[in-house]
Amino acid sequence: MKDYWEETEQKKVSKKKIVMISIIAMIVIAIVAAIVVYYNNEQVREWTDKNIFKKEVTQDNVNSIELNESQSSNIYAFNKYIGVLNKNQFTIYNNTGNEEKKLEVQVSTPVFNSANRFLVIAEKKGKKLYLITGKDITWETEVEGNISQVHVNKNGYVAVVITDTSYKTIITMYNPEGKEMFKTYLSSTRTADVAISNDNKYLAIAEVDTSGTIIQSNIKIISIEKASSDPTNSLENTYQSESGKLITNIKYQDKGRLVCMYTDGIYIIENDQDTILMDNKDKKIIFQSIELTNCAIEIEEKSSGLFTADSIVNIINIENKATKEYTVDSIAKEIYTYDNIIALNLGTEIEFMNTDGWLVKRYIANQEITNIVVSDNIAGIIYRDRIEIINL
């Protein structure tokens, strides 16, 4: 009798296991099927993004920061904050629009640059320079000459481009504590851009020589360690472009890769070799950017009808050279890029996508959008009387 009940109980347990395994298997199959459909069916993806993932937001249902219309404000997004500079007060707001902190910054016409939790603010064509870490001023200083550009890397090292001295250009480097490390002097060329490597070993200088009949662009690589003790013998390498090519931007990526943007394409310097990543030849390129993490993008305009055109966003991975494509059925008016975020201004709509080629957020406005600020966590849509906050 005892054996009979044990056998019956075992059968019940076995049936329960089978039912449970069957249910789990069906759930897994349903999830996999849903993922496959989401990835491969554009209409399903659109509906899911809007109704399930709530990726679409409108002007009427986001937090905002109020602005005084009678005052001119300079606005910048960094880390997870939006900063508003007005009358020497830099006010920091969080992603709900609440004020976090006010800083005294003696700057009226700012030039900004940020990386990681660091933000550098300087007076354009002035002398004042500040490094903010998180929400606090780490250091401030004054330079001799006029500041034209600033750059900070993800570890807080700062490079400042100074003009209007006895030299054509001076580049000054500071460590994260604000100590001046060295100066580099350019006697006859202007600086298009500067970049500091992620490992703090190198300073890259993109320079343009316009003294001749044909423009000449060069990239100089300075050893920061050598320059700290002997600036005159710190040049590691010089990369000279073809005559007539104009360099506009450079950015260091991981493993010492230096991405360089020219007016005719995007190149990469890696292992002392200069190779092309994106060529503008035979394409109608309307925008390009290298201000991303380990990626570069180009936006190509392609006709989709008699009077219509699409914007094709090509995203290339710097490391493996893989390309991903994102298509928008209208022409982009402006682009904004930071870290892993790409923002396309389509007029009354902003599409925020990531460097994997997926929609992060879509913002729909009731009026024309003319200016936005973007970081990797937050974006601000700027109107005359307010800043609409988009959490990314």
Side-chain angles (χ1 to χ4, degrees), residues 287-318:
F287 295 107
Q288 286 183 314
S289 177
I290 59 174
E291 292 299 325
L292 293 158
T293 298
N294 294 321
C295 286
I297 67 162
E298 64 178 12
I299 301 180
E300 182 181 1
E301 182 183 323
K302 279 190 177 180
S303 175
S304 58
L306 189 59
F307 301 108
T308 58
D310 293 339
S311 294
I312 311 298
V313 184
N314 294 310
I315 308 164
I316 187 166
N317 184 287
I318 301 301

Side-chain angles (χ1 to χ4, degrees), residues 181-182 200-202 222-231 234:
M181 301 175 71
F182 62 88
N200 317 316
K201 290 183 178 180
Y202 301 104
I222 305 293
S223 166
I224 291 175
E225 183 180 4
K226 290 179 182 178
S228 297
S229 56
D230 186 7
S234 60

Side-chain angles (χ1 to χ4, degrees), residues 232-250:
T232 57
N233 293 301
S234 60
L235 183 64
E236 289 285 297
N237 215 331
T238 299
Y239 299 90
Q240 190 174 58
S241 71
E242 296 175 15
S243 296
K245 287 169 65 72
L246 179 61
I247 192 166
T248 59
N249 197 8
I250 57 175

Side-chain angles (χ1 to χ4, degrees), residues 62-78:
V62 295
N63 293 316
S64 63
I65 300 165
E66 297 300 317
L67 296 176
N68 189 332
E69 290 186 66
S70 63
Q71 297 177 354
S72 177
S73 298
N74 294 280
I75 298 150
Y76 191 79
F78 65 103

Side-chain angles (χ1 to χ4, degrees), residues 25 42 62 71 95-96 119 125 130 143 181 190 202 205 209 240 247 276 288 305-306 321 347 366 377 385 390 392:
E42 187 176 342
V62 295
Q71 297 177 354
N95 61 0
T96 62
L119 168 66
K125 296 184 178 180
Y130 297 82
V143 304
M181 301 175 71
R190 70 174 181 85
Y202 301 104
I205 304 169
D209 187 351
Q240 190 174 58
I247 192 166
I276 191 163
Q288 286 183 314
L306 189 59
K321 310 303 185 290
N366 303 323
N377 294 300
D385 60 344
I390 313 297
L392 303 174

Side-chain angles (χ1 to χ4, degrees), residues 180-206:
E180 183 180 313
M181 301 175 71
F182 62 88
K183 283 183 169 71
T184 295
Y185 300 88
L186 305 178
S187 59
S188 60
T189 58
R190 70 174 181 85
T191 303
D193 199 12
V194 294
I196 304 168
S197 62
N198 293 339
D199 58 9
N200 317 316
K201 290 183 178 180
Y202 301 104
L203 168 68
I205 304 169

